[in-house]
Amino acid sequence: MESLSLTESTYYILLCLHEPQHGYGIMQETAYLSKGRVKLAAGTLYGALVAMIEKGWIIQLPYGDNERKKEYKLTAQGIAVLRNEIRRLEELVDNGHKVLGGEL
Amino acid sequence: MNSYIRKIRKFFLIWDFEKEEDWLNEMSQNGWSLASVGLGTYSFIKADPGEYTIRLHMHSKDDEYLDIMRGSGAEYIGRIGSWVYFKRRAELESFDVFSDLDSKLEHLGSISRFLMIAGGVNLYLGEMNSLGQASRIAWINLVAACFLMYGLGRIHGKAEELKKQRLLHE
């Protein structure tokens, strides 16, 4: 398991792919989840999708009957990467509160 | 000559792609929206001043990519080699192709790889030609190689600037 931190874009893309989603849907959901703060640009999203497929974190789903757009979804490995990152982020936030709150 | 269409001949170096983009957006501000591109030629059609934002970047041809771009409201204008041109109505939020430092660096990396290959090919041809009788062609190749290496240096400089930012930010 890689211990490198994820970029904000990578994190949100993985999160959006907890359910099957197509490219533009990921952009919309990321903006929704972050209340408009994180705006994924098309080039950034596309590059990240290609890299994540290569790493085996996500897969491209076979086309359904009525679908024209490619959909993607997390793999078991992708879920593990995401859980790992959430633990890392929790540690960061936890320590931040402790230090600034005078507990440490 | 149709007063709603304008054709301009202009040439930009690969490593000046930001200047090219600035110029295209200036044209848009002046009411001329990019309609098609060719090698050294740009066609514009009359539009409301500032109606569109133009973006260009290096990217492989890929239907999925075009789909994502169209989904986000961008229109494909055309391509020159591996450079693609898009426009989007400016009334929508700001139009960027890359939204983080990593993907901007990745883009500069693709341009560097292209310049390195083109430079390497010219260097090789220059050497091969200088062994034979075609010494004038050899010179052209070698000058081209030097020029492409200069471009590589320019792209490298841009990448270093971004890497400095990334020391503290994502």
Side-chain angles (χ1 to χ4, degrees):
Chain A
M1 177 63 63
E2 287 173 73
S3 60
L4 289 172
S5 60
L6 304 178
T7 64
E8 212 169 65
S9 314
T10 312
Y11 179 79
Y12 268 121
I13 295 168
L14 286 175
L15 211 51
C16 292
L17 293 179
H18 193 246
E19 295 298 322
Q21 187 67 276
H22 57 82
Y24 181 55
I26 298 171
M27 292 168 91
Q28 286 176 306
E29 202 174 327
T30 297
Y32 173 76
L33 287 172
S34 66
K35 298 188 177 70
R37 188 181 61 83
V38 180
K39 293 186 182 79
L40 282 176
T44 300
L45 170 64
Y46 180 85
L49 289 174
V50 171
M52 287 186 213
I53 290 173
E54 261 172 37
K55 280 184 178 289
W57 294 359
I58 61 171
I59 48 160
Q60 192 196 305
L61 297 174
Y63 283 102
D65 291 338
N66 312 315
E67 289 155 32
R68 199 182 55 81
K69 287 177 175 155
K70 282 184 187 172
E71 284 196 317
Y72 305 87
K73 193 177 190 312
L74 279 182
T75 61
Q77 198 189 341
I79 292 173
V81 168
L82 200 48
R83 286 197 196 287
N84 224 29
E85 179 67 358
I86 291 170
R87 265 197 299 278
R88 192 188 67 87
L89 293 170
E90 274 169 351
E91 177 214 291
L92 293 179
V93 173
D94 231 38
N95 280 327
H97 285 312
K98 277 184 193 157
V99 170
L100 291 185
E103 282 180 44
L104 279 182
Chain B
M1 177 93 186
N2 193 325
S3 62
Y4 290 98
I5 297 174
R6 230 174 122 181
K7 217 171 184 166
I8 297 182
R9 294 197 150 272
K10 207 169 162 80
F11 199 78
F12 288 93
L13 297 166
I14 288 175
W15 45 94
D16 283 337
F17 65 94
E18 284 149 330
K19 277 188 198 159
E20 181 180 354
E21 194 175 82
D22 287 347
W23 175 67
L24 292 170
N25 281 308
E26 229 170 79
M27 290 297 292
S28 171
Q29 284 299 329
N30 293 329
W32 293 100
S33 150
L34 185 64
S36 68
V37 288
L39 195 61
T41 60
Y42 300 86
S43 300
F44 299 89
I45 48 169
K46 203 96 190 88
D48 290 334
E51 190 177 351
Y52 289 100
T53 307
I54 317 288
R55 291 285 176 251
L56 60 102
H57 56 289
M58 200 179 226
H59 203 282
S60 57
K61 189 167 176 62
D62 187 288
D63 290 342
E64 167 70 349
Y65 186 55
L66 290 184
D67 246 17
I68 295 176
M69 269 289 189
R70 287 197 187 110
S72 70
E75 287 171 51
Y76 174 70
I77 299 172
R79 62 164 52 236
I80 306 175
S82 48
W83 286 84
V84 285
Y85 295 71
F86 287 93
K87 65 179 172 184
R88 197 171 84 173
R89 297 182 78 87
E91 67 194 12
L92 299 168
E93 59 205 3
S94 76
F95 177 28
D96 291 308
V97 176
F98 303 110
S99 49
D100 64 15
L101 287 171
D102 287 87
S103 51
K104 282 177 194 159
L105 277 165
E106 183 59 39
H107 180 234
L108 292 176
S110 319
I111 302 171
S112 293
R113 280 191 290 281
F114 170 79
L115 290 173
M116 247 188 279
I117 292 168
V121 166
N122 272 290
L123 200 61
Y124 175 75
L125 289 175
E127 274 175 30
M128 293 315 282
N129 285 330
S130 68
L131 295 175
Q133 297 304 310
S135 60
R136 191 181 292 170
I137 298 175
W139 271 110
I140 293 173
N141 286 136
L142 290 175
V143 169
C146 286
F147 195 55
L148 290 163
M149 289 304 134
Y150 162 79
L152 189 62
R154 290 283 303 275
I155 295 293
H156 184 73
K158 288 181 211 278
E160 285 306 303
E161 278 302 308
L162 289 181
K163 281 181 191 160
K164 247 186 250 168
Q165 287 182 40
R166 208 179 46 165
L167 283 177
L168 294 178
H169 299 280
E170 183 178 294

